Amino acid sequence: MPELRKDPVTGRWVIISTERRKRPNDFLFERPIIIGREQCPFCPGHEELTPPEVLAYRQNGGAPNSRDWMVRVVPNKFPALHVEGGLDREGDGMFDRMNGIGAHEVIIETPDHDKTFVTMSELEIERVLSAARERVLDLKQDRRLRYILVFKNQGATAGATLEHAHSQLIALPVVPDFVREEIEGARRHFAAKERCVFCDIVHQEMTKGVRVIQEAADIVALAPYAPRFPFETWLLPRRHASKFEDAPQHEYESLARVLKSVLTRIDRALESPAYNLIIHSAPFTDAFGADHSAADVYHWHVEILPKLARTAGFEWGTGFYINPTSPEEATRVLRAVKL
Ligand SMILES: [Zn+2]
Ligand SMILES: [Zn+2]
Ligand SMILES: [Zn+2]
């Protein structure tokens, strides 16, 4: 059973999951060994190589785990957290721990081994977003869980060990630090101005235009004012809403369109870099006990972080990033790409 332990100094939780070392490619150092097409557990016809699916979209409603799917969601074969059991929160002297309860699932985005968000159609990307939403809505019913992280590692240097396009979903019994930090910042802004900080960002950026990479009816893609990484890109709904899973269908359509074109711009301008894509959304329960609920102050969004620079000692030591590319320059480069 994996275990969650809390650092007594910073309050940060970590997952101790020694079982994951059973992964054939997990040694002391993570070596990017990519599993190719022949042994690919995500290709149609290889369904028995994954745990049984928890969701799939099939055109003609075929049997579960049969090969005619368009999107398929399966539990991760090497999960960081386990679904079964109690949390058993307990102290160990001054320390706090709980069992590593949660869910770790994989969204296989397409039956085609070689497709990516750049070559998939908008409709195919929208199906992936719908599958993510459906799984979040289902897992939310589990009262032990507080947060679901939906993310994607594209390319070996971003942490992908399988080249077949997929996203992951990790449901956690605690709210991760980055969400806590963003909600606390958003809450400070709201307390001072009674406005959502993300709505203010969208409004100001759309008025000025210098950091707007792409806009669609419902979603705007921009380079954040103070990006940690070169070509860091945020996609925000123009309408205020705190949760990804509650978005209306037309926002997913718009998001699919903007995702495809922004990733195509990044792909062409920067020679297909690896990247991480992360959905930031409000936690399930408002576990903060403050006067403004996360629904008022927080605004869901997608962050795309291309892997162009390495995080080194300075960044790890200070939490302070040195970014060699200004967001204004990144915007000019990405806007100049011909689609
Ligand atoms: Zn494959
Ligand atoms: Zn907002
Ligand atoms: Zn964020």
Side-chain angles (χ1 to χ4, degrees):
M1 167 71 79
E3 191 181 353
L4 273 114
R5 293 189 184 183
K6 191 183 198 176
D7 181 277
V9 181
T10 59
R12 182 188 299 128
W13 288 91
V14 298
I15 302 172
I16 308 288
S17 175
T18 52
E19 306 159 51
R20 275 174 70 79
R21 282 217 319 258
K22 280 191 240 132
R23 281 160 55 117
N25 43 11
D26 260 1
F27 300 108
L28 285 180
F29 299 97
E30 276 203 35
R31 269 188 254 177
I33 297 174
I34 294 271
I35 298 166
R37 180 192 303 270
E38 298 71 34
Q39 293 129 38
C40 178
F42 296 167
C43 271
H46 292 178
E47 286 74 15
E48 78 288 352
L49 295 178
T50 65
E53 68 199 30
V54 289
L55 173 73
Y57 297 150
R58 291 189 164 78
Q59 209 131 38
N60 306 311
N65 303 301
S66 62
R67 58 176 300 162
D68 62 334
W69 48 272
M70 297 180 287
V71 174
R72 187 165 182 258
V73 186
V74 298
N76 192 308
K77 207 168 178 179
F78 304 100
L81 296 161
H82 285 197
V83 178
E84 312 82 29
L87 276 175
D88 299 337
R89 291 168 180 274
E90 60 187 14
D92 173 9
M94 65 177 288
F95 301 120
D96 295 308
R97 67 163 299 282
M98 65 175 103
N99 285 334
I101 297 298
H104 191 171
E105 300 181 352
V106 178
I107 303 170
I108 309 169
E109 297 166 348
T110 161
D112 188 329
H113 187 84
D114 297 312
K115 274 193 179 171
T116 66
F117 273 9
V118 174
T119 48
M120 282 159 73
S121 68
E122 286 169 17
L123 187 63
E124 286 172 307
I125 297 172
E126 203 187 311
R127 259 188 223 123
V128 174
L129 298 171
S130 298
R133 160 210 231 164
E134 235 184 282
R135 289 309 301 145
V136 171
L137 289 173
D138 182 41
L139 287 161
K140 259 176 103 154
Q141 295 171 28
D142 187 332
R143 305 293 302 168
R144 299 167 304 172
L145 304 175
R146 293 264 172 84
Y147 192 77
I148 296 185
L149 181 67
V150 180
F151 67 103
K152 177 176 168 68
N153 303 327
Q154 168 74 45
T157 50
T161 48
L162 284 160
E163 58 190 12
H164 195 128
H166 65 283
S167 312
Q168 300 185 60
L169 189 151
I170 296 192
L172 297 158
V174 294
V175 179
D177 281 344
F178 72 77
V179 186
R180 195 177 286 278
E181 202 182 325
E182 284 190 357
I183 292 177
E184 278 163 11
R187 184 167 276 137
R188 279 194 298 275
H189 187 89
F190 196 94
K193 302 173 197 270
E194 292 191 47
R195 295 193 307 264
C196 161
V197 64
F198 295 96
C199 285
D200 275 6
I201 292 172
V202 168
H203 179 76
Q204 177 155 339
E205 295 295 358
M206 290 191 65
T207 309
K208 294 265 164 73
V210 286
R211 284 176 293 271
V212 174
I213 297 163
Q214 180 98 39
E215 49 186 288
D218 297 312
I219 302 285
V220 58
L222 49 89
Y225 179 71
R228 293 154 293 175
F229 307 105
F231 293 88
E232 176 173 341
T233 303
W234 294 0
L235 278 57
L236 301 111
R238 291 163 73 158
R239 182 187 66 98
H240 179 81
S242 65
K243 290 180 175 153
F244 161 79
E245 67 272 20
D246 294 341
Q249 195 56 36
H250 57 89
E251 280 183 8
Y252 293 112
E253 281 170 36
S254 205
L255 178 60
R257 184 168 317 138
V258 176
L259 267 176
K260 181 174 163 72
S261 56
V262 165
L263 289 169
T264 303
R265 288 177 191 281
I266 289 174
D267 200 71
R268 296 200 181 146
L270 307 170
E271 299 175 11
S272 312
Y275 64 83
N276 297 110
L277 185 157
I278 301 155
I279 297 176
H280 282 184
S281 184
F284 301 170
T285 49
D286 212 351
F288 301 92
D291 24 349
H292 303 298
S293 79
D296 291 331
V297 307
Y298 198 61
H299 189 125
W300 73 269
H301 56 279
V302 178
E303 297 190 6
I304 299 170
L305 311 169
K307 288 281 163 207
L308 301 165
R310 267 182 206 285
T311 305
F314 178 73
E315 282 87 355
W316 288 119
T318 57
F320 197 111
Y321 293 88
I322 304 176
N323 180 350
T325 311
S326 76
E328 297 77 24
E329 185 189 355
T331 304
R332 280 196 298 276
V333 169
L334 294 181
R335 286 182 73 116
V337 173
K338 293 263 185 303
L339 291 178

